[in-house]
């Protein structure tokens, strides 16, 4: 069934009945007959400030206005036109569609199953290092253009098969109109990526972006481990990541204060220069914003590390930092039975976790033994 009718740049379009996704502020709908476009419709009527924000954004061409090469998708899901209801009221905006199978949310890289499904032949640590580089590069470029991401999280970034990223929800980006001088703040933020000053109601700044960037890079390079996970020894067992950030306590910096969750990857998998930046971000930088490493500092450190990544001789999907003498993922596989960056495939090509394959192998072996016994009995009967 068809859904709502809106006008995009004067053209009448029909939206899909059900949204692709819906959040607290708005819902995103596909456009019938236009597979490459979507429309974001606000749940509540947006005020004049939001309309002025959008109109100003439509006159801007951030980051040069186009991808840096022909293989790369647009770097920002920037508004392309206002959306109005049949009465002419502003209700949202149109933009390019970014979704599967071409793009997946950054959070998918934190899941072994999702990495194997979406990037079966390239989702190794070297690929994650490249995604981290792209994320730092994009953040630095946006800061150079006086744009603050604000609501910076793993759900607001998508990545394609080449590791290129695109920022979503650009209507919440903070910026100042250079013509009128009007400031457009970012009111949204995601708790697990919010620095203490943002949790306390402070404005989005480059420094708050730097905090979120550090968390995301650490998560990417440790296959999903949040640096503020775990429970503090002297806190409520129901404490959350948000609580740990507010308490300025990360197991990366203060492991003695945290009951670290099982399965957490040791921070030492990060090369020394990157681990030093993480210590700054999750130590002094939690409560002292100027002490946080900038996007450009992350970019320099990541650039220096990329050429020297090593590849495991035993498993081609195991790559790791040049500071390590042996493959950490093989050691983890031997200790836990879980292959963080690989899987034994089933006959149909579907990856299977090592634990499941171990059970499957036992069952197959048992079936073979039974068959041999049957053959022996029949032979000598």
């Amino acid at each position: 069934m068809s859904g709502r009718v809106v006008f995009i740049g004067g053209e009448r379009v029909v939206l899909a009945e059900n949204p692709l996704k819906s959040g607290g502020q708005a819902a995103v709908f596909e456009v019938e007959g236009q597979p490459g476009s979507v429309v974001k419709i606000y749940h509540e009527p947006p005020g004049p400030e939001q309309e002025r924000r959008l109109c100003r954004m439509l006159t801007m061409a951030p980051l040069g206005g186009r991808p840096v090469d022909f293989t790369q998708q647009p770097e920002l899901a920037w508004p392309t036109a206002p959306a109005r209801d049949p009465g002419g009221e502003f209700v949202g905006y149109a933009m390019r569609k970014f979704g599967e199978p071409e793009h997946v949310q950054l959070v998918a890289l934190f899941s072994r199953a999702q990495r194997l499904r979406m990037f079966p032949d390239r989702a190794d640590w070297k690929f994650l290092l490249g995604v981290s580089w792209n994320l730092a590069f994009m953040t630095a470029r946006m800061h150079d253009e006086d744009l603050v991401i604000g609501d910076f999280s793993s759900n607001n970034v998508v990545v394609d098969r080449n590791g290129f990223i695109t920022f979503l929800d650009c209507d919440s980006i903070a910026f100042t109109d250079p013509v009128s001088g009007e400031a457009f703040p970012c009111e949204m933020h995601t708790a697990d990526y919010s620095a203490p000053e943002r949790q306390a109601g402070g404005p989005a700044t480059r420094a708050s972006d730097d905090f979120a960037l550090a968390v995301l890079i650490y998560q990417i390079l440790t296959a999903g481990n949040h640096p503020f996970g775990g429970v503090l020894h002297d806190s409520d067992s129901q404490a959350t990541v948000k609580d740990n950030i507010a308490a300025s306590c990360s197991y990366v910096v203060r492991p003695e204060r945290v009951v670290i969750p099982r399965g957490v990857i040791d921070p030492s998998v990060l090369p020394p220069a990157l681990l030093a930046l993480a210590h700054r971000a999750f130590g002094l930088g939690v409560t002292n914003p100027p002490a946080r490493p900038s996007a450009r500092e992350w970019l320099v450190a990541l650039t220096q590390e990329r050429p020297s990544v090593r590849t495991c001789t035993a498993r081609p999907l195991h790559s790791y930092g040049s500071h390590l003498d042996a493959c950490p993922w093989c050691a983890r596989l031997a200790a836990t039975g879980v292959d963080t960056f690989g899987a034994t495939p089933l006959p149909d090509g579907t990856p299977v976790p090592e634990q499941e394959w171990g059970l499957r192998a036992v069952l197959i072996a048992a079936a073979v033994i039974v068959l041999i016994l049957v053959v022996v009995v029949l032979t000598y009967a």
Side-chain angles (χ1 to χ4, degrees):
M1 294 179 63
S2 297
R4 183 173 182 174
V5 172
V6 296
F7 286 81
I8 307 296
E11 177 188 358
R12 180 183 183 274
V13 300
V14 179
L15 306 183
E17 181 181 15
N18 298 313
L20 280 174
K21 68 171 187 175
S22 182
Q25 186 184 36
V28 177
F29 296 84
E30 291 182 293
V31 179
E32 291 189 0
Q34 300 181 26
S37 298
V38 293
V39 175
K40 184 172 184 176
I41 302 292
Y42 296 107
H43 296 313
E44 300 294 332
E49 179 184 343
Q50 189 67 13
E51 186 171 4
R52 289 198 309 275
R53 171 195 286 268
L54 180 74
C55 290
R56 178 56 194 154
M57 292 180 74
L58 291 173
T59 69
M60 300 167 64
L63 311 187
R66 58 174 58 87
V68 296
D69 67 60
F70 71 93
T71 64
Q72 186 176 348
Q73 296 290 332
E75 297 159 320
L76 302 174
W78 206 252
T80 57
R84 301 186 182 278
D85 66 16
E89 293 296 319
F90 172 66
V91 293
Y93 64 90
M95 61 181 173
R96 284 274 302 274
K97 179 183 177 182
F98 297 93
E100 293 191 16
E102 292 83 8
H103 297 84
V104 294
Q105 288 181 316
L106 197 64
V107 69
L109 294 179
F110 305 163
S111 160
R112 175 174 175 272
Q114 290 292 324
R115 289 197 305 274
L116 290 169
R117 180 175 71 87
M118 298 305 303
F119 311 95
D121 58 345
R122 64 187 310 174
D124 59 356
W125 191 81
K126 184 176 183 179
F127 176 77
L128 299 184
L129 193 71
V131 172
S132 299
W133 189 97
N134 288 334
L135 190 64
F137 176 73
M138 274 286 297
T139 305
R141 290 185 70 193
M142 294 181 74
H143 288 176
D144 286 345
E145 297 196 16
D146 294 325
L147 300 175
V148 173
I149 301 161
D151 189 13
F152 198 175
S153 78
S154 58
N155 289 320
N156 290 345
V157 181
V158 291
V159 59
D160 70 10
R161 291 184 180 276
N162 295 314
F164 293 128
I165 65 166
T166 298
F167 282 101
L168 307 180
D169 295 330
C170 291
D171 59 324
S172 66
I173 285 175
F175 66 95
T176 298
D177 186 342
V179 177
S180 67
E182 182 177 9
F184 293 98
C186 174
E187 305 293 347
M188 309 293 292
H189 68 98
T190 302
D192 285 3
Y193 299 91
S194 295
E197 70 270 16
R198 286 286 278 154
Q199 293 186 22
T205 63
R206 292 187 187 185
S208 63
D209 277 357
D210 290 338
F211 181 84
L213 175 66
V215 173
L216 284 167
I217 288 176
Y218 188 87
Q219 282 189 289
I220 293 170
L221 296 181
T222 57
N225 295 169
H226 197 291
F228 289 88
V231 177
L232 305 188
H233 284 294
D234 55 354
S235 73
D236 185 344
S237 62
Q238 301 302 312
T240 65
V241 165
K242 176 183 175 181
D243 297 326
N244 291 350
I245 293 173
S248 185
C249 192
S250 165
Y251 67 82
V252 179
V253 181
R254 301 288 301 278
E256 74 281 358
R257 287 195 57 194
V258 182
V259 180
I260 302 174
R262 288 186 59 190
V264 165
I265 292 171
D266 194 283
S268 64
V269 300
L270 269 67
L274 297 178
L275 187 57
L277 293 180
H279 273 262
R280 276 176 53 197
F282 310 140
L284 180 61
V286 179
T287 55
N288 183 13
R292 297 168 192 162
S294 67
R296 196 162 294 281
E297 287 181 88
W298 281 107
L299 188 60
V300 170
L302 290 162
T303 300
Q304 293 173 344
E305 182 61 31
R306 291 179 72 183
S308 56
V309 173
R310 295 179 177 177
T311 300
C312 178
T313 56
R315 294 178 173 83
L317 278 181
H318 286 192
S319 55
Y320 53 94
S322 60
H323 66 297
L324 298 173
D325 295 327
C327 176
W329 314 120
C330 283
R332 183 174 173 80
L333 172 59
T336 67
V338 176
D339 191 349
T340 306
F341 289 102
T344 306
L346 291 176
D348 64 358
T350 303
V352 177
E354 294 296 330
Q355 300 98 314
E356 294 182 19
W357 178 254
L359 176 60
R360 192 178 298 272
V362 170
L363 294 175
I364 291 174
V368 170
I369 292 172
V370 170
L371 180 60
I372 292 173
L373 291 174
V374 170
V375 171
V376 171
V377 170
L378 292 176
T379 300
Y380 292 97

